[in-house]
Each structure stands twice: as C-alpha cells, then as structure tokens.
Amino acid sequence: MAFRSLLTIFTLVATLQGAFAALTRRVSCPDGVNTATNAACCQLFAVRDDLQQNLFQGGQCTAEAHESLRLTFHDAIAISPALEAQGIFGGGGADGSIAIFSDIETGFHPNIGLDEIVELQKPFIARHNLSVADFIQFAGAIGASNCAGAPQLAAFVGRVDATKPAPDGLVPEPFHTPDQIFARLADASQGEFDEILTVWLLVAHTVAAANDVDPTVPGSPFDSTPEIWDTQFFIETLLNGTTFPGTANNQGEVAAPLKGLLRLQSDFAIARDNRSACEWQSFVNNQEKAQAMFQFVFHDMSILGQDINSLVDCTEVVPVPAPVQGVAHFPAGLTIDDVNIACAETPFPTLPTDPGPATSVAPVPLPNQ
C-alpha cells in the first residue's frame, strides 16, 4: 500500500470536508444551543456533555478515558472474515457486542478488566437514544479528547448493533507474537491493517495503563506520561529494561526501564521486529505523526464491519484536544546509551534527558476508584 499517497488523500478529504462544512448551512438543534451540519448529530451534544461531566470527571484524561478508548478496539477488532468464510458467524466488528453481550465477552481472557468500564457506561447508554455500537466508539473519541496532544478522533452515527456475541480468540493478547498480531489485524481489516498500521494503532498506548496483565501492580502505565498524548511510549519501549525489586514479570510482561511502568511483551517485540522497528522509531520525536496516523487508523477501525455509506460523520461534536505538553525526552538518569536500537536504516533522534535522579512512575487510579 502506498501509505504516503493514502495519507495525502486522507488529509485532502479531511480538508475538503472541513471546507464543505464551513460552507454548508447548519441546522439548529432542538436544545436551542447547538448547531450541526447534519441533524442526526444533534443528539451527540447531550451525550458528550453527560460523558464529560459524569464519566470523565469534568473532562480529564482519567482511567475512565483510557479504558473507554481501549474498549473501542476490543469491540471493533472482534471480527473475522476468515471465520465467516468457514461459516462461523458472530462478531461484526464495531457493533457494540462487547457491551450487549457483556456477560459473555468480558469473560474472554483479553477482555478481563473491561467489565468495569462496560458497567460504568451502561447507565449512559440507557439514558441516550444511541446505538450501543455508536456509543462505544463515541465515548472513546470523547475520552481521548481530554488527553493533551491527542488528535480529534472520528465520530459516526448509524452503526447497526450486534445480534450475536463475538467468538472468543479474536482480540490480540500481550503474550502473542508479532506474527500472530499482524495476522489477526490483517484478517479483521481484510488486509488493510498491515505491520505499519499495527504500529499506528499502538499509538493509543501513550495514554494506557494495565489493570489485568499483572494483578500485583494494577494501574501500571505503559509510559511515564499516561495523561498526555505524546511520544514517550515509543521512546520508553525501546529503552533497556531493569528488574526492580518486588516487581513481578508475568506472562505478557517484560522488564521495564522505570519502576512503576509495565511493558507489554507484544509492544517490546513489535518495537524490535524488522518489519515494524523503523516505523516504531519514526514516532520517537514526531508528535504530528503520532496524532495524524492514529486519527487515520482510528477512523477505519471504528467502522469495521459497518457500511460507511450508511453512517453520518459527526466528528465536529468531538472537542479539539489541548496542545501537547512538554517535549520528547529521556527519563531522568537515562540517555541514548540505554536505547536498544532496532532500526539500522535511520539514526535515533537526539533527545534531552530530564534533570535529576531517576524516578518511579505512579499508577493510574483504576476506574471508579
């Protein structure tokens, strides 16, 4: 796939859509406050405000925001054209099945821990006239908007809800190999999500924390700035790890460079795989890319299994996130000498080191705590 051409087309379409929206007559919403380019989007203003006030603590990049974004992937990726070709149906991608059939799907091993955010979202779903499929993707986009430096993520309405639960085994696990993960994402997207786009999807780990990979250290973030959508995740995943006293390394987890971080085995391996290592390194000091590539790939992930021609684009309802805070850097006490360089094609970017002694990273409070 010609990614540069693809991105150029995506950027051009976004620009034209923005220009078209500016020229199109807007409709007044029934609330008497908001206007929209399509009346179908009016209902989302109330959903957005409810989420911000009552789930995301007034618009914060909290664990609820992190987990809402994570939920979008776990719902959408559970689709398999390969299984459907064998006559095994169920799991329609971004169809809300993880919440509709939560008694089944949150019991799947890779979904353990998501029952918390599913249960927190259910009252919101009940009081708004929105499909479960639309709600899950919209809540993820709103949650991400609270993280400084994030892109404005796509929001659509019109998805069809699931009538069957997804089969088990369709969500990648932290202990899966790059081959397994690349193959799973390629199947789910009918070949669109290759090794490069897999790295783009993993940008989401910049605002992620684990609450189920290692139960002894709940809420351990994947980088040192889990409240900021920056590129520290790509830097810190490439640093050499240390086994800190009292820290367990469970299945799917490898030694991390800072005390308090949890590094997934799958992230560690993809960052060093010869098919993805250079793409991984390209994010190290490139905030614009970390925004644009995830914006692109989230758009396509959020409509897996749905007919784009039946959906209404309501991205305008999603707040534009605040600018990124800080600059890409090595954590205190670490330098280029601590980098496990896996890409031989381009030099590793020159980065400053934070002053002071090495520090530990605090856990992210789990949802509803």
Side-chain angles (χ1 to χ4, degrees):
M1 183 181 291
F3 296 111
R4 183 173 297 178
S5 299
L6 187 65
L7 181 59
T8 299
I9 292 171
F10 173 74
T11 303
L12 177 60
V13 169
T15 301
L16 291 175
Q17 286 177 334
F20 179 75
L23 295 173
T24 301
R25 179 178 297 176
R26 300 179 66 83
V27 298
S28 296
C29 294
D31 62 11
V33 176
N34 295 292
T35 63
T37 54
N38 190 304
C41 301
C42 286
Q43 61 183 319
L44 293 182
F45 289 107
V47 184
R48 179 195 67 189
D49 295 346
D50 193 8
L51 284 168
Q52 292 288 61
Q53 183 65 34
N54 299 306
L55 183 61
F56 301 137
Q57 301 176 26
Q60 302 297 311
C61 187
T62 58
E64 290 81 4
H66 300 172
E67 290 293 279
S68 292
L69 182 60
R70 179 186 173 208
L71 189 64
T72 65
F73 175 78
H74 284 245
D75 187 46
I77 208 65
I79 182 172
S80 176
L83 288 181
E84 292 176 6
Q86 300 172 35
I88 302 173
F89 295 93
D95 61 1
S97 67
I98 196 168
I100 296 169
F101 301 100
S102 59
D103 57 328
I104 297 173
E105 291 194 37
T106 61
F108 296 163
H109 191 265
N111 294 339
I112 292 174
L114 283 172
D115 58 313
E116 297 169 347
I117 192 63
V118 168
E119 291 305 312
L120 286 174
Q121 288 188 3
K122 281 185 177 180
F124 294 85
I125 295 171
R127 60 178 174 258
H128 294 287
N129 185 27
L130 199 63
S131 73
V132 179
D134 285 344
F135 181 89
I136 287 175
Q137 300 301 322
F138 183 65
I142 297 300
S145 77
N146 296 324
C147 305
Q152 182 188 38
L153 298 181
F156 292 93
V157 294
R159 294 177 185 82
V160 178
D161 274 346
T163 57
K164 297 179 180 179
D168 197 0
L170 296 183
V171 180
E173 298 262 27
F175 53 82
H176 283 169
T177 66
D179 282 346
Q180 290 174 300
I181 293 172
F182 294 154
R184 173 79 279 276
L185 297 190
D187 172 34
S189 63
Q190 296 184 297
E192 179 185 355
F193 294 165
D194 64 0
E195 298 88 349
I196 302 300
L197 269 72
T198 298
V199 175
W200 297 3
L201 276 169
L202 289 171
V203 173
H205 283 184
T206 185
V207 290
N211 65 3
D212 58 323
V213 176
D214 188 341
T216 68
V217 284
S220 296
F222 296 161
D223 76 5
S224 59
T225 56
E227 74 287 354
I228 304 173
W229 193 284
D230 56 16
T231 62
Q232 288 303 120
F233 167 70
F234 290 95
I235 299 167
E236 293 164 17
T237 306
L238 288 171
L239 294 173
N240 294 318
T242 300
T243 301
F244 295 96
T247 299
N249 287 322
N250 293 347
Q251 185 184 39
E253 177 187 2
V254 295
L258 296 173
K259 186 175 183 180
L261 288 191
L262 188 146
R263 182 153 60 184
L264 298 182
Q265 179 181 316
S266 53
D267 289 342
F268 180 93
I270 290 172
R272 291 159 177 77
D273 190 279
N274 60 12
R275 294 163 292 182
S276 48
C278 287
E279 186 64 18
W280 191 282
Q281 184 176 295
S282 73
F283 282 95
V284 162
N285 192 20
N286 195 334
Q287 177 66 23
E288 292 76 15
K289 185 172 184 178
Q291 294 173 322
M293 298 302 96
F294 190 78
Q295 184 181 50
F296 173 85
V297 77
F298 179 87
H299 172 283
D300 287 7
M301 181 202 73
S302 73
I303 56 174
L304 284 176
Q306 300 287 338
D307 178 7
I308 185 64
N309 296 314
S310 300
L311 306 181
V312 176
D313 188 347
C314 297
T315 302
E316 63 184 310
V317 180
V318 178
V320 176
V324 70
Q325 303 168 20
V327 297
H329 60 274
F330 291 119
L334 301 173
T335 69
I336 185 66
D337 294 335
D338 298 290
V339 177
N340 181 207
I341 296 176
C343 175
E345 295 179 13
T346 57
F348 196 87
T350 300
L351 303 173
T353 294
D354 267 5
T359 58
S360 61
V361 182
V364 176
L366 298 181
N368 205 28
Q369 289 193 347

